[in-house]
Amino acid sequence: MPRSFRVLAFSLAWVGSVATALADPPKPVAAKPKQIVLISFDSAREISQWERSRALAKRTGAHFTYFLSCVFLLSPQTRAEYVAPGKGAGKAKIGFAASGQEVADRLQQIRLAAAEGHDIGSHACGHFDGKGWSKADWLAEFSAFRRILENAYAINGISPEPRGWRDFARDAVIGFRAPYLSTDKALYEALPEAGFQYDASGVSNGPALPPTKNGTTRFALPQIPEGPKSKRVVAMDYNLYVRHSGGFERPSMAGAFADRAYRAFRAAFDAQYNGKRLPLELGFHFTQMNMGAYWNALERFADEVCVMQQVECISFRDYVARQRSDEKRVAVGG
């Protein structure tokens, strides 16, 4: 090669190497946060479903939230302890516990669940629609819940009362979900005054980060695509029950309904896991709708996703604690 060409080639190579050296280094790609899944149960009545859900949690490492209706801590003999706003003593939309022994068994399940790291929340007491209630009505309902929970052993003559029970009843319940997801302005005025840190009564178009307003973190059950036409439905078993069978039992279709529910849960999860990783909320009741189709779908779903390395199935309480801890660190520059 002639000398002039060798010099030109060297010069071009030198310029290229300098340009490479002076270029900005590649920016590190931020690691995705873990996918959060929030699974909750309303009313928390049947003892067998307490046991079944706790077994599911143990094998998957999940922590759940149980929204308890306080009337299930009252027997037929003690039901008059509850007086709903505008109602007579001993009235409830969902009945009461069948016996004092059932109350004792339920209290044991609550204690076991709490000891295992689960979140016990309030679902009020009598399962009345409170959308027309005043702030004073809501505060009265919250007061009834806390009084009945705190005094459940004494009210029902169950002894001995476990050590620390009253401290737990006073301090551990920091979340609420309204019956029928029915809310009004007065509710959100009453929640912080009653000591609640979060509310899970909302419904959103899809998974979303929960905002905190006036000291209350507001969660919302998302509407998710479901079924052959991917029509959106609130991600709760009762809404699926109405969608699938009009709110009536269809035992012959239980398997198909379970599969549809599972596919809806999994598709909603996959969309977030492969996307923005917004928290995914799923809501259930202890009732076995359509022969347990939705619990079967839940177990299939949780067995698959809650054990994944990049997934955490946690309670609302744990989510709020993390959120507020992060906010505190940011505030102090940590």
Side-chain angles (χ1 to χ4, degrees), residues 3 9 13-14 25 68 70 93-94 125 150-151 169 172 187 200 203 213 227 238 298 316 326 331-332:
R3 184 173 180 277
W14 181 82
L68 175 69
C70 87
K93 294 283 281 188
I94 51 176
C125 286
E150 182 177 344
N151 296 281
L187 168 64
V203 174
K213 300 180 180 179
Y238 179 75
L298 164 64
F316 289 105
D326 289 344
V332 298

Side-chain angles (χ1 to χ4, degrees), residues 43 79 84 119 138 153 170 220 226 275 277 293 307 317 331:
S43 293
R79 61 188 291 170
D119 177 19
W138 280 112
Y153 284 89
R170 282 191 294 265
E226 188 277 335
R277 295 206 172 174
V307 298
R317 181 193 61 203

Side-chain angles (χ1 to χ4, degrees), residues 148-175:
I148 291 168
L149 180 64
E150 182 177 344
N151 296 281
Y153 284 89
I155 288 171
N156 293 282
I158 302 168
S159 62
E161 179 178 292
R163 181 182 300 176
W165 171 259
R166 290 173 183 264
D167 291 335
F168 164 81
R170 282 191 294 265
D171 301 331
V173 178
I174 65 165

Side-chain angles (χ1 to χ4, degrees), residues 210-213 215-217 319-334:
T212 298
K213 300 180 180 179
T216 305
T217 302
Y319 185 96
V320 170
R322 291 184 187 184
Q323 181 188 53
R324 299 192 177 190
S325 176
D326 289 344
E327 289 172 354
K328 189 175 294 184
R329 281 200 298 270
V330 170
V332 298

Side-chain angles (χ1 to χ4, degrees), residues 10-23:
F10 173 79
S11 298
L12 291 173
W14 181 82
V15 169
S17 65
V18 170
T20 301
L22 294 177

